[in-house]
mmCIF file of all heavy atoms in Angstrom:
data_model
loop_
_atom_site.group_PDB
_atom_site.id
_atom_site.type_symbol
_atom_site.label_atom_id
_atom_site.label_comp_id
_atom_site.label_asym_id
_atom_site.label_seq_id
_atom_site.Cartn_x
_atom_site.Cartn_y
_atom_site.Cartn_z
ATOM 1 N N SER A 1 -7.015 11.044 9.749
ATOM 2 C CA SER A 1 -7.487 10.712 8.391
ATOM 3 C C SER A 1 -7.409 11.890 7.466
ATOM 4 O O SER A 1 -7.191 11.663 6.305
ATOM 5 C CB SER A 1 -8.923 10.143 8.473
ATOM 6 O OG SER A 1 -9.867 11.141 8.714
ATOM 7 N N ARG A 2 -7.472 13.143 7.907
ATOM 8 C CA ARG A 2 -7.434 14.282 6.984
ATOM 9 C C ARG A 2 -6.086 14.330 6.329
ATOM 10 O O ARG A 2 -5.888 14.399 5.093
ATOM 11 C CB ARG A 2 -7.755 15.534 7.725
ATOM 12 C CG ARG A 2 -7.698 16.754 6.813
ATOM 13 C CD ARG A 2 -8.129 18.018 7.561
ATOM 14 N NE ARG A 2 -7.981 19.222 6.668
ATOM 15 C CZ ARG A 2 -7.765 20.378 7.114
ATOM 16 N NH1 ARG A 2 -7.707 20.641 8.394
ATOM 17 N NH2 ARG A 2 -7.665 21.374 6.255
ATOM 18 N N ARG A 3 -4.994 14.288 7.129
ATOM 19 C CA ARG A 3 -3.674 14.360 6.584
ATOM 20 C C ARG A 3 -3.420 13.020 5.757
ATOM 21 O O ARG A 3 -2.793 13.156 4.627
ATOM 22 C CB ARG A 3 -2.623 14.414 7.697
ATOM 23 C CG ARG A 3 -1.215 14.494 7.192
ATOM 24 C CD ARG A 3 -0.467 15.619 7.875
ATOM 25 N NE ARG A 3 0.911 15.675 7.453
ATOM 26 C CZ ARG A 3 1.324 16.393 6.483
ATOM 27 N NH1 ARG A 3 0.495 17.046 5.749
ATOM 28 N NH2 ARG A 3 2.592 16.370 6.216
ATOM 29 N N GLY A 4 -3.841 11.927 6.235
ATOM 30 C CA GLY A 4 -3.592 10.724 5.472
ATOM 31 C C GLY A 4 -4.346 10.707 4.144
ATOM 32 O O GLY A 4 -3.877 10.213 3.135
ATOM 33 N N LEU A 5 -5.571 11.247 4.105
ATOM 34 C CA LEU A 5 -6.314 11.390 2.843
ATOM 35 C C LEU A 5 -5.621 12.272 1.909
ATOM 36 O O LEU A 5 -5.433 11.886 0.694
ATOM 37 C CB LEU A 5 -7.712 11.932 3.162
ATOM 38 C CG LEU A 5 -8.591 12.154 1.916
ATOM 39 C CD1 LEU A 5 -8.818 10.799 1.179
ATOM 40 C CD2 LEU A 5 -9.935 12.792 2.316
ATOM 41 N N ILE A 6 -5.089 13.379 2.306
ATOM 42 C CA ILE A 6 -4.286 14.306 1.472
ATOM 43 C C ILE A 6 -3.078 13.604 0.908
ATOM 44 O O ILE A 6 -2.841 13.598 -0.324
ATOM 45 C CB ILE A 6 -3.934 15.570 2.163
ATOM 46 C CG1 ILE A 6 -5.164 16.405 2.485
ATOM 47 C CG2 ILE A 6 -2.897 16.388 1.386
ATOM 48 C CD1 ILE A 6 -4.930 17.510 3.488
ATOM 49 N N ALA A 7 -2.284 12.975 1.744
ATOM 50 C CA ALA A 7 -1.087 12.235 1.292
ATOM 51 C C ALA A 7 -1.367 11.115 0.350
ATOM 52 O O ALA A 7 -0.725 10.901 -0.653
ATOM 53 C CB ALA A 7 -0.325 11.707 2.540
ATOM 54 N N SER A 8 -2.517 10.338 0.594
ATOM 55 C CA SER A 8 -2.820 9.256 -0.241
ATOM 56 C C SER A 8 -3.231 9.688 -1.617
ATOM 57 O O SER A 8 -2.823 9.127 -2.676
ATOM 58 C CB SER A 8 -3.950 8.424 0.413
ATOM 59 O OG SER A 8 -4.271 7.304 -0.371
ATOM 60 N N VAL A 9 -4.078 10.756 -1.652
ATOM 61 C CA VAL A 9 -4.516 11.292 -2.974
ATOM 62 C C VAL A 9 -3.345 11.819 -3.735
ATOM 63 O O VAL A 9 -3.172 11.525 -4.931
ATOM 64 C CB VAL A 9 -5.649 12.364 -2.798
ATOM 65 C CG1 VAL A 9 -5.919 13.069 -4.068
ATOM 66 C CG2 VAL A 9 -6.888 11.649 -2.276
ATOM 67 N N LEU A 10 -2.479 12.604 -3.089
ATOM 68 C CA LEU A 10 -1.358 13.213 -3.830
ATOM 69 C C LEU A 10 -0.423 12.036 -4.337
ATOM 70 O O LEU A 10 0.111 12.089 -5.403
ATOM 71 C CB LEU A 10 -0.552 14.076 -2.837
ATOM 72 C CG LEU A 10 -1.268 15.417 -2.516
ATOM 73 C CD1 LEU A 10 -0.381 16.179 -1.519
ATOM 74 C CD2 LEU A 10 -1.513 16.220 -3.721
ATOM 75 N N SER A 11 -0.268 11.081 -3.531
ATOM 76 C CA SER A 11 0.560 9.903 -3.912
ATOM 77 C C SER A 11 -0.037 9.221 -5.195
ATOM 78 O O SER A 11 0.690 8.820 -6.070
ATOM 79 C CB SER A 11 0.734 8.832 -2.816
ATOM 80 O OG SER A 11 1.392 7.718 -3.264
ATOM 81 N N ARG A 12 -1.320 9.007 -5.175
ATOM 82 C CA ARG A 12 -1.969 8.338 -6.320
ATOM 83 C C ARG A 12 -1.884 9.230 -7.568
ATOM 84 O O ARG A 12 -1.843 8.711 -8.658
ATOM 85 C CB ARG A 12 -3.431 8.081 -6.019
ATOM 86 C CG ARG A 12 -3.758 7.171 -4.876
ATOM 87 C CD ARG A 12 -3.281 5.737 -5.007
ATOM 88 N NE ARG A 12 -1.825 5.503 -4.993
ATOM 89 C CZ ARG A 12 -1.016 5.515 -3.925
ATOM 90 N NH1 ARG A 12 -1.471 5.786 -2.757
ATOM 91 N NH2 ARG A 12 0.306 5.201 -4.072
ATOM 92 N N LEU A 13 -1.816 10.541 -7.324
ATOM 93 C CA LEU A 13 -1.679 11.462 -8.504
ATOM 94 C C LEU A 13 -0.265 11.646 -8.859
ATOM 95 O O LEU A 13 0.141 12.495 -9.696
ATOM 96 C CB LEU A 13 -2.377 12.780 -8.205
ATOM 97 C CG LEU A 13 -3.841 12.699 -7.967
ATOM 98 C CD1 LEU A 13 -4.382 14.116 -7.556
ATOM 99 C CD2 LEU A 13 -4.593 12.226 -9.258
ATOM 100 N N GLU A 14 0.668 10.910 -8.196
ATOM 101 C CA GLU A 14 2.110 10.926 -8.386
ATOM 102 C C GLU A 14 2.750 12.375 -8.039
ATOM 103 O O GLU A 14 3.626 12.837 -8.732
ATOM 104 C CB GLU A 14 2.433 10.471 -9.788
ATOM 105 C CG GLU A 14 2.102 9.058 -10.023
ATOM 106 C CD GLU A 14 2.482 8.493 -11.362
ATOM 107 O OE1 GLU A 14 3.087 9.238 -12.168
ATOM 108 O OE2 GLU A 14 2.222 7.320 -11.594
ATOM 109 N N LEU A 15 2.151 12.905 -7.075
ATOM 110 C CA LEU A 15 2.659 14.186 -6.523
ATOM 111 C C LEU A 15 3.183 13.863 -5.116
ATOM 112 O O LEU A 15 2.625 12.927 -4.459
ATOM 113 C CB LEU A 15 1.563 15.266 -6.446
ATOM 114 C CG LEU A 15 0.863 15.565 -7.759
ATOM 115 C CD1 LEU A 15 -0.335 16.484 -7.491
ATOM 116 C CD2 LEU A 15 1.874 16.250 -8.694
ATOM 117 N N ARG A 16 4.099 14.521 -4.601
ATOM 118 C CA ARG A 16 4.680 14.202 -3.297
ATOM 119 C C ARG A 16 4.637 15.424 -2.337
ATOM 120 O O ARG A 16 4.979 16.450 -2.732
ATOM 121 C CB ARG A 16 6.063 13.694 -3.372
ATOM 122 C CG ARG A 16 6.239 12.356 -4.152
ATOM 123 C CD ARG A 16 5.837 11.219 -3.273
ATOM 124 N NE ARG A 16 6.130 10.015 -3.972
ATOM 125 C CZ ARG A 16 5.242 9.073 -4.187
ATOM 126 N NH1 ARG A 16 4.005 9.234 -3.797
ATOM 127 N NH2 ARG A 16 5.600 7.958 -4.805
ATOM 128 N N GLU A 17 4.303 15.130 -1.097
ATOM 129 C CA GLU A 17 4.460 16.147 -0.062
ATOM 130 C C GLU A 17 5.738 15.934 0.597
ATOM 131 O O GLU A 17 6.070 14.850 0.998
ATOM 132 C CB GLU A 17 3.380 15.906 1.022
ATOM 133 C CG GLU A 17 2.192 16.739 0.863
ATOM 134 C CD GLU A 17 1.261 16.553 2.088
ATOM 135 O OE1 GLU A 17 1.203 15.446 2.665
ATOM 136 O OE2 GLU A 17 0.734 17.540 2.561
ATOM 137 N N GLY A 18 6.551 16.951 0.766
ATOM 138 C CA GLY A 18 7.825 16.786 1.498
ATOM 139 C C GLY A 18 8.864 16.029 0.745
ATOM 140 O O GLY A 18 8.973 16.068 -0.480
ATOM 141 N N SER A 19 9.711 15.243 1.491
ATOM 142 C CA SER A 19 10.919 14.579 0.939
ATOM 143 C C SER A 19 10.611 13.372 0.207
ATOM 144 O O SER A 19 9.462 12.873 0.115
ATOM 145 C CB SER A 19 11.854 14.417 2.085
ATOM 146 O OG SER A 19 11.278 13.454 2.955
ATOM 147 N N ASP A 20 11.675 12.778 -0.333
ATOM 148 C CA ASP A 20 11.657 11.544 -1.094
ATOM 149 C C ASP A 20 11.046 10.409 -0.237
ATOM 150 O O ASP A 20 11.393 10.175 0.847
ATOM 151 C CB ASP A 20 13.057 11.165 -1.461
ATOM 152 C CG ASP A 20 13.042 9.930 -2.274
ATOM 153 O OD1 ASP A 20 12.124 9.576 -2.910
ATOM 154 O OD2 ASP A 20 14.224 9.304 -2.347
ATOM 155 N N GLN A 21 10.084 9.690 -0.836
ATOM 156 C CA GLN A 21 9.372 8.630 -0.153
ATOM 157 C C GLN A 21 9.946 7.226 -0.430
ATOM 158 O O GLN A 21 9.341 6.276 -0.080
ATOM 159 C CB GLN A 21 7.891 8.629 -0.522
ATOM 160 C CG GLN A 21 7.164 9.916 -0.132
ATOM 161 C CD GLN A 21 7.027 10.046 1.387
ATOM 162 O OE1 GLN A 21 6.714 9.075 2.109
ATOM 163 N NE2 GLN A 21 7.341 11.196 1.885
ATOM 164 N N ARG A 22 11.052 7.150 -1.134
ATOM 165 C CA ARG A 22 11.602 5.821 -1.540
ATOM 166 C C ARG A 22 11.882 4.945 -0.386
ATOM 167 O O ARG A 22 12.401 5.342 0.737
ATOM 168 C CB ARG A 22 12.885 6.060 -2.282
ATOM 169 C CG ARG A 22 13.261 4.937 -3.207
ATOM 170 C CD ARG A 22 14.462 5.186 -3.906
ATOM 171 N NE ARG A 22 15.561 4.748 -3.021
ATOM 172 C CZ ARG A 22 16.812 4.761 -3.389
ATOM 173 N NH1 ARG A 22 17.205 5.169 -4.476
ATOM 174 N NH2 ARG A 22 17.718 4.310 -2.555
ATOM 175 N N GLY A 23 11.505 3.672 -0.470
ATOM 176 C CA GLY A 23 11.705 2.730 0.539
ATOM 177 C C GLY A 23 10.764 2.837 1.777
ATOM 178 O O GLY A 23 11.051 2.266 2.786
ATOM 179 N N VAL A 24 9.629 3.511 1.611
ATOM 180 C CA VAL A 24 8.656 3.657 2.597
ATOM 181 C C VAL A 24 7.364 3.027 2.192
ATOM 182 O O VAL A 24 6.945 3.204 1.084
ATOM 183 C CB VAL A 24 8.507 5.181 2.947
ATOM 184 C CG1 VAL A 24 7.434 5.404 3.965
ATOM 185 C CG2 VAL A 24 9.810 5.732 3.442
ATOM 186 N N VAL A 25 6.736 2.295 3.087
ATOM 187 C CA VAL A 25 5.443 1.637 2.816
ATOM 188 C C VAL A 25 4.305 2.625 2.909
ATOM 189 O O VAL A 25 4.247 3.391 3.899
ATOM 190 C CB VAL A 25 5.267 0.456 3.794
ATOM 191 C CG1 VAL A 25 3.934 -0.193 3.686
ATOM 192 C CG2 VAL A 25 6.362 -0.593 3.552
ATOM 193 N N ASP A 26 3.326 2.520 2.040
ATOM 194 C CA ASP A 26 2.107 3.319 2.119
ATOM 195 C C ASP A 26 1.142 2.670 3.063
ATOM 196 O O ASP A 26 0.656 1.580 2.779
ATOM 197 C CB ASP A 26 1.561 3.423 0.697
ATOM 198 C CG ASP A 26 0.262 4.198 0.641
ATOM 199 O OD1 ASP A 26 -0.272 4.601 1.676
ATOM 200 O OD2 ASP A 26 -0.193 4.429 -0.499
ATOM 201 N N THR A 27 0.878 3.240 4.197
ATOM 202 C CA THR A 27 0.043 2.627 5.241
ATOM 203 C C THR A 27 -1.441 2.756 4.913
ATOM 204 O O THR A 27 -2.270 2.163 5.586
ATOM 205 C CB THR A 27 0.291 3.329 6.616
ATOM 206 O OG1 THR A 27 -0.005 4.706 6.540
ATOM 207 C CG2 THR A 27 1.694 3.014 7.096
ATOM 208 N N THR A 28 -1.793 3.369 3.752
ATOM 209 C CA THR A 28 -3.191 3.369 3.357
ATOM 210 C C THR A 28 -3.477 2.318 2.254
ATOM 211 O O THR A 28 -4.624 2.068 1.933
ATOM 212 C CB THR A 28 -3.598 4.711 2.671
ATOM 213 O OG1 THR A 28 -2.926 4.878 1.461
ATOM 214 C CG2 THR A 28 -3.292 5.871 3.673
ATOM 215 N N ARG A 29 -2.410 1.647 1.761
ATOM 216 C CA ARG A 29 -2.529 0.665 0.709
ATOM 217 C C ARG A 29 -3.164 -0.677 1.296
ATOM 218 O O ARG A 29 -2.592 -1.286 2.179
ATOM 219 C CB ARG A 29 -1.200 0.359 0.033
ATOM 220 C CG ARG A 29 -1.220 -0.704 -0.990
ATOM 221 C CD ARG A 29 -1.916 -0.164 -2.244
ATOM 222 N NE ARG A 29 -1.832 -1.184 -3.280
ATOM 223 C CZ ARG A 29 -2.598 -1.102 -4.335
ATOM 224 N NH1 ARG A 29 -3.480 -0.162 -4.501
ATOM 225 N NH2 ARG A 29 -2.586 -2.009 -5.277
ATOM 226 N N LEU A 30 -4.308 -1.092 0.751
ATOM 227 C CA LEU A 30 -4.921 -2.263 1.219
ATOM 228 C C LEU A 30 -4.203 -3.459 0.525
ATOM 229 O O LEU A 30 -4.180 -3.578 -0.682
ATOM 230 C CB LEU A 30 -6.402 -2.280 0.830
ATOM 231 C CG LEU A 30 -7.224 -3.473 1.203
ATOM 232 C CD1 LEU A 30 -7.142 -3.701 2.742
ATOM 233 C CD2 LEU A 30 -8.670 -3.248 0.800
ATOM 234 N N VAL A 31 -3.492 -4.272 1.357
ATOM 235 C CA VAL A 31 -2.639 -5.328 0.826
ATOM 236 C C VAL A 31 -3.563 -6.637 0.918
ATOM 237 O O VAL A 31 -3.912 -7.037 2.027
ATOM 238 C CB VAL A 31 -1.403 -5.466 1.619
ATOM 239 C CG1 VAL A 31 -0.594 -6.660 1.117
ATOM 240 C CG2 VAL A 31 -0.558 -4.208 1.615
ATOM 241 N N ASN A 32 -3.799 -7.159 -0.240
ATOM 242 C CA ASN A 32 -4.697 -8.334 -0.328
ATOM 243 C C ASN A 32 -3.997 -9.346 -1.198
ATOM 244 O O ASN A 32 -3.951 -9.126 -2.454
ATOM 245 C CB ASN A 32 -6.098 -7.954 -0.828
ATOM 246 C CG ASN A 32 -7.019 -9.160 -0.904
ATOM 247 O OD1 ASN A 32 -6.875 -10.030 -0.116
ATOM 248 N ND2 ASN A 32 -7.955 -9.071 -1.744
ATOM 249 N N VAL A 33 -3.482 -10.475 -0.645
ATOM 250 C CA VAL A 33 -2.873 -11.479 -1.461
ATOM 251 C C VAL A 33 -3.614 -12.782 -1.289
ATOM 252 O O VAL A 33 -3.441 -13.486 -0.329
ATOM 253 C CB VAL A 33 -1.383 -11.686 -1.015
ATOM 254 C CG1 VAL A 33 -0.766 -12.790 -1.804
ATOM 255 C CG2 VAL A 33 -0.616 -10.353 -1.128
ATOM 256 N N PRO A 34 -4.549 -13.135 -2.256
ATOM 257 C CA PRO A 34 -5.188 -14.376 -2.167
ATOM 258 C C PRO A 34 -4.189 -15.456 -2.470
ATOM 259 O O PRO A 34 -3.637 -15.463 -3.530
ATOM 260 C CB PRO A 34 -6.251 -14.283 -3.233
ATOM 261 C CG PRO A 34 -6.367 -12.825 -3.622
ATOM 262 C CD PRO A 34 -4.994 -12.249 -3.265
ATOM 263 N N TRP A 35 -3.933 -16.331 -1.491
ATOM 264 C CA TRP A 35 -2.939 -17.404 -1.630
ATOM 265 C C TRP A 35 -3.574 -18.461 -2.565
ATOM 266 O O TRP A 35 -4.656 -18.945 -2.388
ATOM 267 C CB TRP A 35 -2.694 -17.972 -0.315
ATOM 268 C CG TRP A 35 -1.229 -18.576 -0.222
ATOM 269 C CD1 TRP A 35 -0.928 -19.870 -0.363
ATOM 270 C CD2 TRP A 35 -0.075 -17.882 0.047
ATOM 271 N NE1 TRP A 35 0.426 -19.974 -0.259
ATOM 272 C CE2 TRP A 35 0.995 -18.787 0.036
ATOM 273 C CE3 TRP A 35 0.221 -16.560 0.377
ATOM 274 C CZ2 TRP A 35 2.364 -18.427 0.225
ATOM 275 C CZ3 TRP A 35 1.551 -16.182 0.553
ATOM 276 C CH2 TRP A 35 2.587 -17.101 0.516
ATOM 277 N N PRO A 36 -2.833 -18.933 -3.560
ATOM 278 C CA PRO A 36 -3.322 -19.917 -4.550
ATOM 279 C C PRO A 36 -3.625 -21.224 -3.873
ATOM 280 O O PRO A 36 -2.819 -21.729 -3.104
ATOM 281 C CB PRO A 36 -2.252 -20.059 -5.608
ATOM 282 C CG PRO A 36 -1.090 -19.282 -5.117
ATOM 283 C CD PRO A 36 -1.463 -18.450 -3.933
ATOM 284 N N ALA A 37 -4.754 -21.776 -4.118
ATOM 285 C CA ALA A 37 -5.151 -23.064 -3.612
ATOM 286 C C ALA A 37 -4.262 -24.261 -4.023
ATOM 287 O O ALA A 37 -4.044 -25.209 -3.318
ATOM 288 C CB ALA A 37 -6.558 -23.383 -3.948
ATOM 289 N N ASP A 38 -3.665 -24.083 -5.246
ATOM 290 C CA ASP A 38 -2.831 -25.129 -5.763
ATOM 291 C C ASP A 38 -1.375 -24.996 -5.345
ATOM 292 O O ASP A 38 -0.496 -25.732 -5.826
ATOM 293 C CB ASP A 38 -2.877 -25.202 -7.287
ATOM 294 C CG ASP A 38 -2.401 -23.890 -7.963
ATOM 295 O OD1 ASP A 38 -2.177 -22.895 -7.218
ATOM 296 O OD2 ASP A 38 -2.372 -23.830 -9.155
ATOM 297 N N SER A 39 -1.040 -24.092 -4.392
ATOM 298 C CA SER A 39 0.260 -23.901 -3.896
ATOM 299 C C SER A 39 0.674 -25.083 -2.989
ATOM 300 O O SER A 39 -0.203 -25.695 -2.372
ATOM 301 C CB SER A 39 0.319 -22.594 -3.086
ATOM 302 O OG SER A 39 1.524 -22.562 -2.271
ATOM 303 N N ALA A 40 1.879 -25.393 -2.936
ATOM 304 C CA ALA A 40 2.417 -26.495 -2.050
ATOM 305 C C ALA A 40 2.349 -26.039 -0.589
ATOM 306 O O ALA A 40 2.483 -26.851 0.290
ATOM 307 C CB ALA A 40 3.820 -26.797 -2.399
ATOM 308 N N CYS A 41 2.110 -24.797 -0.329
ATOM 309 C CA CYS A 41 2.032 -24.250 1.028
ATOM 310 C C CYS A 41 0.578 -24.374 1.551
ATOM 311 O O CYS A 41 -0.326 -23.820 0.944
ATOM 312 C CB CYS A 41 2.441 -22.830 0.999
ATOM 313 S SG CYS A 41 2.155 -21.987 2.527
ATOM 314 N N PRO A 42 0.381 -25.015 2.666
ATOM 315 C CA PRO A 42 -0.974 -25.160 3.240
ATOM 316 C C PRO A 42 -1.405 -24.000 4.191
ATOM 317 O O PRO A 42 -2.376 -24.139 4.864
ATOM 318 C CB PRO A 42 -0.844 -26.508 4.070
ATOM 319 C CG PRO A 42 0.551 -26.508 4.538
ATOM 320 C CD PRO A 42 1.332 -25.882 3.358
ATOM 321 N N HIS A 43 -0.624 -22.977 4.236
ATOM 322 C CA HIS A 43 -0.873 -21.891 5.164
ATOM 323 C C HIS A 43 -1.563 -20.642 4.563
ATOM 324 O O HIS A 43 -1.661 -19.633 5.159
ATOM 325 C CB HIS A 43 0.494 -21.445 5.834
ATOM 326 C CG HIS A 43 1.183 -22.564 6.490
ATOM 327 N ND1 HIS A 43 2.249 -23.194 5.917
ATOM 328 C CD2 HIS A 43 0.933 -23.235 7.655
ATOM 329 C CE1 HIS A 43 2.598 -24.180 6.657
ATOM 330 N NE2 HIS A 43 1.822 -24.229 7.787
ATOM 331 N N GLY A 44 -2.111 -20.829 3.367
ATOM 332 C CA GLY A 44 -2.759 -19.790 2.651
ATOM 333 C C GLY A 44 -3.846 -19.094 3.400
ATOM 334 O O GLY A 44 -4.133 -17.862 3.170
ATOM 335 N N SER A 45 -4.606 -19.824 4.247
ATOM 336 C CA SER A 45 -5.699 -19.199 4.959
ATOM 337 C C SER A 45 -5.207 -18.159 5.985
ATOM 338 O O SER A 45 -6.030 -17.370 6.422
ATOM 339 C CB SER A 45 -6.476 -20.254 5.724
ATOM 340 O OG SER A 45 -5.695 -20.868 6.722
ATOM 341 N N ALA A 46 -3.911 -18.033 6.223
ATOM 342 C CA ALA A 46 -3.411 -17.020 7.119
ATOM 343 C C ALA A 46 -3.287 -15.662 6.384
ATOM 344 O O ALA A 46 -3.105 -14.606 7.035
ATOM 345 C CB ALA A 46 -1.983 -17.419 7.634
ATOM 346 N N SER A 47 -3.464 -15.661 5.065
ATOM 347 C CA SER A 47 -3.423 -14.411 4.347
ATOM 348 C C SER A 47 -4.784 -13.762 4.318
ATOM 349 O O SER A 47 -5.710 -14.311 3.783
ATOM 350 C CB SER A 47 -2.956 -14.707 2.892
ATOM 351 O OG SER A 47 -2.861 -13.475 2.144
#
């Protein structure tokens, strides 16, 4: 968590440690996609 905290804070401040991060997912980003109830897809509860 110490290294992750440093990397996350620097990323939020738009500073980078090391090389180009393009095309790489931020593993600290909380991904939350509330699936719309009016969607034609009935699988929204899986999100």
Side-chain angles (χ1 to χ4, degrees):
S1 75
R2 181 176 175 206
R3 180 133 176 88
L5 178 61
I6 292 168
S8 184
V9 169
L10 290 177
S11 175
R12 299 299 64 79
L13 296 175
E14 297 182 359
L15 304 171
R16 296 281 188 237
E17 264 190 320
S19 63
D20 180 21
Q21 297 292 317
R22 202 178 88 174
V24 176
V25 172
D26 178 354
T27 58
T28 70
R29 178 72 177 164
L30 183 56
V31 179
N32 184 28
V33 179
W35 208 264
D38 61 354
S39 165
C41 170
H43 304 101
S45 63
S47 180

